[in-house]
Amino acid sequence: MAVKLLCLCLLLALLCLSWAKKQTCRTSASNCNECIQSGPECAWCDTPNAHTHCHTLRGLQRQGCPEHHIYNPQGGVQVVRNDSSTEPVGAQALLLQPQELSLRLRPGVSQSFPLTITMPTDQPITELTMDTSSVLPVVDITFSSIKEGNPLVTQVSVEAARCHSGSDDSNQNSTGPWSVHITPRGFSQSVKLEISLECQCDCMKSREENSPICSGNGALVCGQCDCSKLNIGQYCQRESDYFLPSNEDRCRSGPNAMVCSGRGECVDGYCVCNERTNPEERNTGQYCECTNYDCLYANARICGGQGKCDCGQCVCDDEWTGEDCTCSMAIASCMATNQRICNGKGNCQCGVCQCPYPYGGPTCETCFGC
């Protein structure tokens, strides 16, 4: 029993660690495009007073960003053409349904649809081929069988591993659309897919120049101030005391990034990070991109009081996990009297048993209606 319990504890720890790693986002992202490209779980809050612009959807909701101010594309599938055949079952024509689809892909988020193939009665079922010469190599298309026989139903799954970068060895455009034709071998009929990537925020195309929110010294883009060269600060409210055009680019983390992440001044090509009113709060990093205060709060304490803020992300203490370190990894509270976790009926999540009906109670030992 002790060995089984130890193995289960290790498994829970690994699952929690894996979950925590998947929930990281580049909170220091300089703009909306950089944010959503940093991971499939990352979203952007376009309100100027946002505590953090880039975080997970849950993280932005926890900090109070209104739903209609959150940009979190997930892609989708739209059937463009799905004509049904009027031919009898025994006809010699091949029938594919649907015939044309439009797919919008958020990198890391798979989109899928069923493809029905009705074969002529005197023809064997053949494999599917694709013409993907126009598609970037970051896009992957796979097939899996749903129903054998005639008609044959196949699940088509499409996923982009990442966004196309300027360093990729390709002359193709970065977001599509690209055309893909899926064809049963030996036939001329095919299914057309129009594939495009969602790697750019629509709000990046709109700039409110000399915005009052940016003190009239910069443009408001996606709820964030892009300051003029002579101003710095979250709202471009401060004049830069020192400015060297030839050195300014050395103070940016990327070509379009804010100078010193908007948290410092560029002096002789090096970032001098702003000091905070609270001496315990600090801006650090080569580009002042890291903070020890810009993390989620829970129970009125940063990282729930069970962790520390490291570069905008909570690093939880032992036995705690989650975005805000409020999920306990301890299982003692889930242990039933028979020494089984949640009585072997439910799952222990954050130190609380999640019991399936008809079981209930703190450790799933109560059976309602049994």
Side-chain angles (χ1 to χ4, degrees), residues 18-299:
S18 174
W19 179 86
K21 287 182 178 179
K22 292 180 180 178
Q23 297 300 311
T24 58
C25 284
R26 191 176 301 167
T27 56
S28 60
S30 60
N31 56 56
C32 184
N33 287 353
E34 183 181 341
C35 174
I36 66 170
Q37 292 180 25
S38 65
E41 73 283 354
C42 301
W44 179 267
C45 179
D46 67 0
T47 58
N49 60 346
H51 184 63
T52 302
H53 284 288
C54 184
H55 215 292
T56 62
L57 175 62
R58 180 172 175 267
L60 294 180
Q61 292 171 335
R62 290 287 297 272
Q63 74 175 26
C65 184
E67 197 72 31
H68 62 283
H69 281 282
I70 296 178
Y71 188 77
N72 183 35
Q74 291 299 304
V77 178
Q78 180 181 2
V79 176
V80 178
R81 186 163 62 92
N82 188 21
D83 300 333
S84 59
S85 174
T86 58
E87 297 288 334
V89 177
Q92 298 303 308
L94 175 75
L95 176 61
L96 301 174
Q97 288 185 291
Q99 295 86 36
E100 185 175 350
L101 303 99
S102 173
L103 286 84
R104 294 174 291 104
L105 300 180
R106 169 83 182 266
V109 181
S110 178
Q111 299 293 338
S112 59
F113 63 91
L115 173 61
T116 302
I117 308 171
T118 304
M119 302 288 293
T121 54
D122 60 348
Q123 295 288 334
I125 301 296
T126 60
E127 64 178 326
L128 298 174
T129 64
M130 290 182 294
D131 175 15
T132 59
S133 57
S134 64
V135 183
L136 289 172
V138 298
V139 178
D140 184 43
I141 304 176
T142 59
F143 305 111
S144 59
S145 176
I146 297 178
K147 176 181 175 295
E148 300 289 345
N150 194 9
L152 172 71
V153 183
T154 298
Q155 184 87 345
V156 182
S157 299
V158 187
E159 183 173 344
R162 56 182 173 83
C163 290
H164 176 68
S165 66
S167 60
D168 288 334
D169 185 18
S170 173
N171 293 322
Q172 295 169 308
N173 62 63
S174 60
T175 59
W178 308 289
S179 294
V180 176
H181 291 272
I182 301 175
T183 309
R185 189 179 299 277
F187 292 88
S188 60
Q189 296 96 320
S190 64
V191 176
K192 180 182 178 181
L193 308 182
E194 286 285 325
I195 300 175
S196 59
L197 298 186
E198 292 198 334
C199 295
Q200 299 178 356
C201 303
D202 293 337
C203 60
M204 291 292 291
K205 303 173 184 177
S206 302
R207 293 173 60 90
E208 183 186 341
E209 300 291 347
N210 303 318
S211 171
I213 294 176
C214 303
S215 309
N217 299 318
L220 185 66
V221 185
C222 296
Q224 190 173 23
C225 288
D226 182 9
C227 302
S228 66
K229 294 181 179 180
L230 299 178
N231 295 87
I232 59 174
Q234 182 178 358
Y235 303 108
C236 308
Q237 72 276 19
R238 294 176 54 195
E239 292 186 359
S240 177
D241 297 328
Y242 193 85
F243 173 69
L244 287 177
S246 59
N247 290 330
E248 187 184 57
D249 287 344
R250 296 170 58 186
C251 294
R252 300 178 188 270
S253 60
N256 300 315
M258 297 177 65
V259 174
C260 300
S261 306
R263 301 190 184 102
E265 300 180 30
C266 186
V267 178
D268 290 333
Y270 295 92
C271 286
V272 178
C273 301
N274 296 335
E275 294 185 358
R276 302 279 297 176
T277 303
N278 184 344
E280 299 296 322
E281 297 180 352
R282 295 183 299 278
N283 297 310
T284 58
Q286 181 180 353
Y287 306 105
C288 305
E289 71 276 13
C290 289
T291 71
N292 69 340
Y293 57 86
D294 202 10
C295 287
L296 291 178
Y297 278 72
N299 303 320

